[in-house]
Amino acid sequence: MNAQMPLKTTAVLQNDVTPEGDDYEIVRRAIEKISLDYRDQPSLEALAEDVGETPTGLQKLFTRWAGLSPKAFLQAVTLDHARKLLDSGLPLLETSLELGMSGPGRLHDLFVTHEAMSPGDYKTRGAGLTIRYGYHISPFGIALIMVTDRGLAGLAFSDPGGEREAFADMSGRWPNATYVEDMAATAPYAARIFDPTLWRPDQPLRVVMIGTDFQVRVWEALLRIPMGKACTYSSIAARIGAPSASRAVGAAVGANPMSFVVPCHRALGKSGALTGYHWGLTRKRAILGWEAGQVGS
């Protein structure tokens, strides 16, 4: 199957990798309410009414999903909290750079080991490359996972009904590749990526980066931002030796093909504002809040 052929849908959501497959849809609506009205500090009762749940039901569901209550999550997505992430995140990023963590090894909590395709491989736009893909329910909606023989190459998100659009977005990055629908190949990656109990140093997640030299440098810098921390675009630019290239860094962050794994959601504006996110600001808030729960536990 190539990128131009109609996308099959037979494999969509055949493998649920979360205990509660419908949790995210309800949580997403609650997060949208929180995101819109966080200055008004919406009550649990107001959130529950908005998503059609009882206050007790929403409290239990949300806490099961995020490891945080809706109230704690609300605090975790405020601007003040983002500023605290930045204040504590930058020194740790500097430390990781000084330790020379640019090669294979523990680059962040997921225990990622990575390699990059050569510039020549990138310029062929995927020619000669076979990419296997599959859809999986994740804590953040439907995850489109793409893998090669060398490891994970892509991770995108969509809401129900947006699967074709997500596939078009991802396959358009490497239009000359051959695409094969293969849930058996992608399922182990889905399980590994979204289950923190499987984040083990003795079983690192293999990742292959397909991009320009500059993009790969930015993505490597993102991998060095620990969970529960954040970094600004300008500081990333400075740390890769291109202090005047904040806009180019922002573009590279936006072009990141491995959402969540390469944590572009941890890149914030200078003020702590969340700014844009390729897969939607609601999902960015969801990921940051979920990570706050993981760090807290």
Side-chain angles (χ1 to χ4, degrees):
M1 173 177 178
N2 59 40
Q4 286 72 41
M5 291 178 66
L7 173 62
K8 292 183 180 179
T9 58
T10 53
V12 172
L13 308 185
Q14 288 181 358
N15 187 18
D16 185 347
V17 296
T18 58
E20 300 290 339
D22 293 334
D23 280 6
Y24 179 70
E25 176 56 27
I26 297 172
V27 168
R28 180 186 66 79
R29 288 158 55 201
I31 292 172
E32 285 181 340
K33 177 74 172 177
I34 290 172
S35 301
L36 291 171
D37 300 338
Y38 74 90
R39 290 183 179 85
D40 298 328
Q41 299 287 294
S43 66
L44 176 63
E45 289 73 18
L47 290 173
E49 181 179 359
D50 194 67
V51 301
E53 280 280 341
T54 65
T56 300
L58 179 60
Q59 179 89 355
K60 290 181 178 179
L61 184 153
F62 206 103
T63 303
R64 179 175 68 240
W65 176 84
L68 293 171
S69 68
K71 181 177 181 180
F73 185 92
L74 175 61
Q75 294 170 343
V77 299
T78 62
L79 186 61
D80 286 342
H81 180 74
R83 286 170 176 154
K84 291 176 183 176
L85 293 184
L86 290 174
D87 290 343
S88 60
L90 296 181
L92 288 174
L93 180 60
E94 291 170 349
T95 300
S96 67
L97 287 169
E98 290 172 2
L99 291 175
M101 294 175 64
S102 59
R106 180 182 177 178
L107 290 176
H108 68 28
D109 308 80
L110 263 168
F111 296 100
V112 171
T113 180
H114 78 281
E115 63 175 304
M117 296 188 72
S118 71
D121 289 332
Y122 172 72
K123 288 178 182 178
T124 66
R125 310 204 62 192
L129 186 67
T130 296
I131 297 179
R132 301 181 183 277
Y133 72 93
Y135 293 88
H136 303 267
I137 294 177
S138 83
F140 313 109
I142 300 169
L144 168 59
I145 293 178
M146 293 183 162
V147 303
T148 71
D149 292 340
R150 294 158 67 179
L152 178 74
L155 197 166
F157 290 112
S158 74
D159 294 321
E163 297 91 345
R164 291 176 181 272
E165 183 178 355
F167 181 84
D169 183 305
M170 295 297 287
S171 61
R173 300 164 189 244
W174 315 295
N176 296 325
T178 298
Y179 291 89
V180 178
E181 188 178 38
D182 189 346
M183 293 282 286
T186 56
Y189 285 87
R192 167 71 169 75
I193 290 166
F194 297 114
D195 184 352
T197 65
L198 299 179
W199 298 356
R200 298 169 50 185
D202 59 328
Q203 295 181 1
L205 178 68
R206 292 174 54 218
V207 167
V208 57
M209 295 180 175
I210 309 173
T212 66
D213 286 343
F214 182 83
Q215 287 174 330
V216 170
R217 285 162 58 202
V218 170
W219 299 339
E220 287 176 339
L222 292 172
L223 279 170
R224 299 187 185 98
I225 307 174
M227 181 182 288
K229 308 300 177 185
C231 194
T232 63
Y233 299 107
S234 57
S235 62
I236 293 173
R239 282 158 181 76
I240 65 170
S244 62
S246 293
R247 287 197 176 189
V249 165
V253 170
N256 168 34
M258 282 174 279
S259 181
F260 185 71
V261 171
V262 176
C264 51
H265 56 277
R266 297 178 194 161
L268 306 179
K270 188 173 293 187
S271 69
L274 285 154
T275 64
Y277 185 62
H278 191 78
W279 307 109
L281 279 178
T282 294
R283 190 167 278 110
K284 183 171 185 172
R285 290 185 175 95
I287 295 173
L288 289 171
W290 184 88
E291 288 188 341
Q294 297 299 314
V295 171
S297 64

